[in-house]
Amino acid sequence: MRKFLVVLDDSRECLNAMRFAAMRARKTNGGVEILSIIPPEEFQHWIGVGDIMRQEARERIEAHFEVFAKWMRDRQGIDPELVIREGELVTEILSQVNEDPNVGVLVLGAGTDKGGPGPLVTQLARASGTLPIPITIVPGDLSKERLEAIT
């Protein structure tokens, strides 16, 4: 089964990327893999404190994931899977794409700020020529109705 890989973060545009991935997965009989990355600088403390912080970060991610997963299950009939990695954002996304042969499309949400689509979209666009899969960039300000119409 082809999976749509979406990055879970706290950005506003993440919501549209999630919606798009779930809608496309439903219409193409695919799946959704949600990737969240814990940056390494969060754990530059004593070992015991770093372990507690790592666990707390995982719990926050899992709670955030459950919000999207419930919507995907209830509205789209898609049961997404969660992958949590630790490291640098772009490096870990590229590693996940290369390590999971079932990932068929990377879905990113583009920011709506005047500064451009955001650092993640900009950095991954630079690497897009060497990726084994296409990237879909979803505008962050598309309405739910427009997303439904184009998926």
Side-chain angles (χ1 to χ4, degrees), residues 133-149:
I133 61 170
I135 298 176
T136 298
I137 300 173
V138 182
D141 61 356
L142 282 182
S143 68
K144 284 190 265 186
E145 296 78 20
R146 183 72 181 128
L147 274 171
E148 289 172 3

Side-chain angles (χ1 to χ4, degrees), residues 5-15 17-18 35-37 87-95 97 106-113 115-128 131 135-138:
L5 178 64
V6 188
V7 178
L8 174 64
D9 59 24
D10 293 328
S11 69
R12 206 174 123 243
E13 55 270 15
C14 172
L15 177 60
M18 292 285 175
L35 174 63
S36 188
I37 294 140
E88 297 299 327
L89 186 61
V90 173
T91 302
E92 294 304 321
I93 293 169
L94 295 174
S95 293
V97 165
L106 173 60
V107 180
L108 301 173
T112 57
D113 295 338
L120 182 58
V121 171
T122 302
Q123 290 176 38
L124 285 168
R126 287 186 193 124
S128 63
L131 286 175
I135 298 176
T136 298
I137 300 173
V138 182

Side-chain angles (χ1 to χ4, degrees), residues 50-62:
D51 290 343
I52 291 168
M53 291 177 70
R54 182 177 287 110
Q55 184 59 36
E56 288 173 351
R58 286 183 173 279
E59 289 169 5
R60 279 192 312 273
I61 289 166
E62 289 167 0

Side-chain angles (χ1 to χ4, degrees), residues 56-122:
E56 288 173 351
R58 286 183 173 279
E59 289 169 5
R60 279 192 312 273
I61 289 166
E62 289 167 0
H64 199 179
F65 165 78
E66 277 308 316
V67 171
F68 288 110
K70 181 177 180 357
W71 177 84
M72 287 183 189
R73 286 189 291 266
D74 293 350
R75 299 277 175 95
Q76 303 299 323
I78 298 293
D79 192 20
E81 67 180 272
L82 174 63
V83 175
I84 300 174
R85 296 180 73 118
E86 294 180 27
E88 297 299 327
L89 186 61
V90 173
T91 302
E92 294 304 321
I93 293 169
L94 295 174
S95 293
Q96 186 65 28
V97 165
N98 287 313
E99 291 170 15
D100 187 342
N102 294 319
V103 171
V105 178
L106 173 60
V107 180
L108 301 173
T112 57
D113 295 338
K114 292 179 180 170
L120 182 58
V121 171
T122 302

